[in-house]
């Protein structure tokens, strides 16, 4: 009994790992709009256009979820939804703050505003310091779900801490 369970456990773990690794983003079914009709994420969400990752945002609650049909049925819970076409909203972050307006010498940015990918680095030329920060001359912000469509680590209405 017990010996057999121990021998099967590594086999089971290996099968789970192989099964999970085999799941790719290409298996997601992304649609322009999903109305989730049951479960903890009920609401109407629009597709954020993230190249196969199936990120959706509810414009009323601002909640962002990943709704990949096959992933939900294989690994996690699955919930019923209906396709819709009448819900829209921002798919990228708003423009990041200008460096000079907050006392920074410059910013490094490739111009992208994609959620979970884009980053902007601001340079605060010594001896000036970023207010209430860790002493680094570089202050980074990210386009993320945390404050979407504003940039993560900005304050208020997409502001930066001052370089003084």
């Amino acid at each position: 009994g017990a010996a057999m369970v121990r021998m099967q456990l590594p086999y089971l773990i290996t099968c789970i790992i192989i099964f999970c690794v085999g799941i790719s983003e290409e298996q997601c079914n992304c649609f322009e709009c999903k109305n989730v009709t049951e479960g903890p994420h009920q609401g109407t969400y629009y597709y954020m256009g993230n190249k196969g990752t199936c990120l959706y945002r509810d414009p009323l609650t601002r909640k962002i979820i990943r709704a990949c049909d096959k992933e939900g049925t294989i690994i996690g819970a699955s919930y019923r939804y209906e396709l819709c076409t009448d819900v829209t909203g921002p798919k990228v972050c708003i423009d990041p703050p200008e460096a000079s307006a907050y006392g920074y010498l410059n910013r490094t940015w490739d111009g992208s505003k994609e959620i979970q990918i884009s980053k902007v680095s601001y340079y605060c030329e010594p001896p000036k310091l970023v207010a209430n920060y860790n002493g680094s001359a570089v202050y980074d912000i990210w386009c993320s779900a945390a404050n979407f469509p504003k940039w993560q680590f900005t304050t208020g209405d997409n502001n930066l801490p001052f370089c003084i």
Side-chain angles (χ1 to χ4, degrees):
M4 182 176 273
V5 170
R6 272 184 253 140
M7 290 175 62
Q8 289 178 347
L9 187 59
Y11 173 75
L12 179 62
I13 291 172
T14 302
C15 288
I16 291 171
I17 290 171
I18 290 170
F19 194 67
C20 291
V21 170
I23 298 169
S24 72
E25 292 177 354
E26 294 158 7
Q27 292 177 315
C28 284
N29 293 319
C30 304
F31 300 99
E32 287 304 306
C33 178
K34 286 185 177 180
N35 181 25
V36 180
T37 58
E38 63 182 20
H41 305 295
Q42 281 184 319
T44 304
Y45 297 81
Y46 67 89
Y47 174 55
M48 296 181 66
N50 321 67
K51 303 175 188 127
T53 60
C54 291
L55 289 180
Y56 291 85
R57 181 173 187 254
D58 181 330
L60 300 177
T61 65
R62 298 176 25 184
K63 181 191 289 189
I64 295 175
I65 62 170
R66 182 168 191 259
C68 184
D69 293 356
K70 292 188 179 182
E71 178 186 65
T73 58
I74 294 171
I75 296 175
S78 59
Y79 301 101
R80 203 173 296 277
Y81 71 89
E82 303 165 344
L83 296 182
C84 50
T85 57
D86 57 349
V87 177
T88 61
K91 295 183 178 184
V92 296
C93 277
I94 61 176
D95 288 339
E98 291 293 331
S100 60
Y102 298 91
Y104 293 86
L105 180 66
N106 59 34
R107 70 180 180 192
T108 304
W109 176 42
D110 67 3
S112 68
K113 298 186 281 185
E114 300 295 318
I115 193 167
Q116 297 182 324
I117 297 171
S118 301
K119 169 184 156 184
V120 183
S121 296
Y122 293 85
Y123 180 63
C124 182
E125 187 175 33
K128 295 187 337 180
L129 296 170
V130 178
N132 302 314
Y133 195 48
N134 65 8
S136 172
V138 177
Y139 188 80
D140 295 328
I141 61 172
W142 302 84
C143 180
S144 77
N147 293 335
F148 189 84
K150 298 174 188 172
W151 292 75
Q152 186 176 13
F153 304 122
T154 60
T155 60
D157 192 28
N158 212 44
N159 300 314
L160 293 172
F162 282 95
C163 170
I164 47 177

